[in-house]
Amino acid sequence: MGTAYECVIAAAGASSRMGSRWKPLLPFGSSTILETTVGRALDAGLRVILVVGVRGEELAERFSAVPDVAVVRNPAWEAGLLGSVLAGFAAAEGELVFSMNGDKPLAFSRTYRLLQEEAERRAASGGTVPPIFAAYRGKRGHPVLIPRAIALGASRLGPEGRMRDHL
């Protein structure tokens, strides 16, 4: 395939279940949860499309000087995660794009690379590349490498829909 990969990272929500604390900027190691999540995608050589909503200006400012990070605003962030993911995929350019939640700092760069290798192996064998999920102990999780056309087709699900249920 030899294509540059992108990663849509959704960080638009209000962290309402966290009370007064906002999850993206909670400390994580020597950084924050979101900065670590973004950093691991960048370390894997990905262009990051960071989707923001609540406190969007703050995140846009924080990541404005970070190379290979494009900030996309989701004005309808209150409608749910799916809208943010779709906003990110609409801004993507590649055929295969990773989807990641901003609150998943334990997804390592190697995970992205393994999924890329699997996609390239499948493409080289002449097959189509379906969505490829990272997994832990047999349970699917993030990141997910998704054909962009499939992701954009999820817009028909409505705000309460879950793309994962249709992949």
Side-chain angles (χ1 to χ4, degrees):
M1 294 177 88
T3 183
Y5 287 87
E6 298 163 296
C7 182
V8 170
I9 297 180
S15 303
S16 56
R17 294 178 296 221
M18 297 290 294
S20 62
R21 299 168 33 169
W22 194 47
K23 200 180 332 179
L25 296 185
L26 286 177
F28 186 84
S30 62
S31 188
T32 68
I33 288 174
L34 182 59
E35 288 167 333
T36 301
T37 302
V38 169
R40 294 208 167 140
L42 291 171
D43 288 347
L46 307 175
R47 175 179 173 258
V48 171
I49 300 167
L50 181 62
V51 183
V52 300
V54 69
R55 296 174 68 171
E57 291 303 319
E58 180 179 357
L59 291 181
E61 175 66 27
R62 185 174 284 254
F63 288 94
S64 65
V66 180
D68 294 323
V69 174
V71 175
V72 172
R73 288 171 176 75
N74 177 12
W77 62 268
E78 291 176 283
L81 178 61
L82 181 60
S84 293
V85 172
L86 292 173
F89 272 84
E93 298 172 358
E95 289 180 41
L96 296 170
V97 180
F98 284 98
S99 177
M100 184 59 155
N101 295 344
D103 63 353
K104 305 282 187 208
L106 294 176
F108 296 100
S109 302
R110 174 120 177 92
T111 304
Y112 291 103
R113 287 191 290 274
L114 287 170
L115 295 176
Q116 288 175 15
E117 290 169 10
E118 178 62 18
E120 290 172 6
R121 184 188 66 74
R122 290 180 185 192
S125 69
T128 60
V129 179
I132 304 172
F133 289 79
Y136 179 72
R137 295 186 177 177
K139 185 176 179 183
R140 296 189 319 179
H142 285 86
V144 183
L145 184 56
I146 305 171
R148 186 168 169 261
I150 290 175
L152 291 174
S155 61
R156 70 185 183 288
L157 298 176
E160 69 287 341
R162 288 175 37 127
M163 186 182 327
R164 169 185 239 164
D165 295 336
H166 299 276
L167 297 178

